[in-house]
Amino acid sequence: MYAFYDYDGEPIYVGQTKEGLGVRVNRHLTNQRTDAVAMRILDTFEVAEIELWPLWDLAAAIGSRSAAQVILDATEYTAYILAIEGSRFRAILNEKIPPVSEPVEMPTSYRFTLISDETRADRGHPDIRIARRAETLSRLAAVARERGEVSEGLRRVLVIQAVRLAYLSAVRLAYAEGRPEPSASAISVEGLVGSVLWDAEEDDEQFG
């Protein structure tokens, strides 16, 4: 399992992989084709930290849909719930919500900073981040337009990214006007997109 965090320590994406963690993470961060990067959901520019949960005991058992996959799914869903709970928006940028599972005890995690202090100072300026996030939002909207029929998850991510942009812009405005930072709770993601704890589209496919 892995989770990415932005410059504010805000969780932004959670995933699982059957590849070596280093291989999968490197594919994300070097813009090699992954679903999240290709779909413009994950902007690697915004990734400042990573948290890893290695599942060493499953290394020899992940060749097929088996008990190992069930453990993987449950661990990913638990990591996803933890990210939601740790998010000021109570939402992250996963297009597909992991399969709903009973929470499990998470293995020991390892969290690392991926950027230098110089890079953080260069990229972390609010106006740079606002411009970059607006560009990401525009590209994500373009993907939706080009594909025509897109998943509900992609539409949900579009809203969540817009909320993240609006909040960052509001914080910058408050700073310029000498006001305290606004609360992220001023915008209710759940009120805009519904629950982020299960995938309604998956439920429709399973039971429809």
Side-chain angles (χ1 to χ4, degrees):
M1 301 303 124
Y2 56 94
F4 292 132
Y5 299 83
D6 69 11
Y7 293 88
D8 303 316
E10 171 74 20
I12 52 178
Y13 188 84
V14 167
Q16 65 161 272
T17 180
K18 296 175 187 176
E19 300 175 299
L21 278 171
V23 174
R24 180 65 170 182
V25 169
N26 187 63
R27 287 177 62 203
H28 273 308
L29 299 181
T30 57
N31 276 327
Q32 296 179 46
R33 190 173 183 86
T34 65
D35 288 344
V37 173
M39 294 300 299
R40 308 294 186 180
I41 290 169
L42 180 65
D43 180 12
T44 56
F45 184 96
E46 276 280 293
V47 177
E49 299 176 54
I50 186 172
E51 187 169 12
L52 306 175
W53 291 270
L55 298 173
W56 306 117
D57 293 344
L58 299 184
I62 301 180
S64 62
R65 297 280 311 177
S66 61
Q69 185 63 55
V70 173
I71 295 172
L72 270 177
D73 289 344
T75 308
E76 183 182 17
Y77 188 71
T78 304
Y80 177 82
I81 294 299
L82 291 174
I84 295 294
E85 292 175 349
S87 166
R88 70 183 68 185
F89 308 106
R90 295 294 185 264
I92 61 175
L93 299 174
N94 281 58
E95 178 184 3
K96 291 186 177 180
I97 297 172
V100 176
S101 308
E102 285 294 321
V104 298
E105 183 177 351
M106 294 294 287
T108 300
S109 71
Y110 304 88
R111 187 160 170 172
F112 307 94
T113 298
L114 297 174
I115 58 174
S116 66
D117 291 341
E118 292 78 8
T119 299
R120 181 180 289 274
D122 179 49
R123 295 182 177 182
H125 190 283
D127 290 336
I128 293 176
R129 294 182 66 201
I130 289 168
R132 182 77 183 201
R133 196 165 293 176
E135 182 181 354
T136 299
L137 183 62
S138 175
R139 289 178 175 176
L140 186 57
V143 167
R145 178 185 62 81
E146 290 162 3
R147 287 180 62 186
E149 292 187 13
V150 299
S151 69
E152 294 173 7
L154 187 64
R155 301 265 182 213
R156 181 179 59 245
V157 168
L158 189 63
V159 175
I160 294 169
Q161 192 67 281
V163 168
R164 286 165 46 82
L165 173 60
Y167 177 73
L168 192 60
S169 301
V171 168
R172 187 60 171 154
L173 173 62
Y175 173 81
E177 294 180 343
R179 294 185 288 107
E181 284 191 8
S183 171
S185 63
I187 307 175
S188 169
V189 171
E190 186 174 5
L192 294 173
V193 305
S195 177
V196 296
L197 301 182
W198 63 83
D199 196 323
E201 196 169 40
E202 293 283 336
D203 288 346
D204 289 344
E205 291 178 1
Q206 183 175 357
F207 301 110

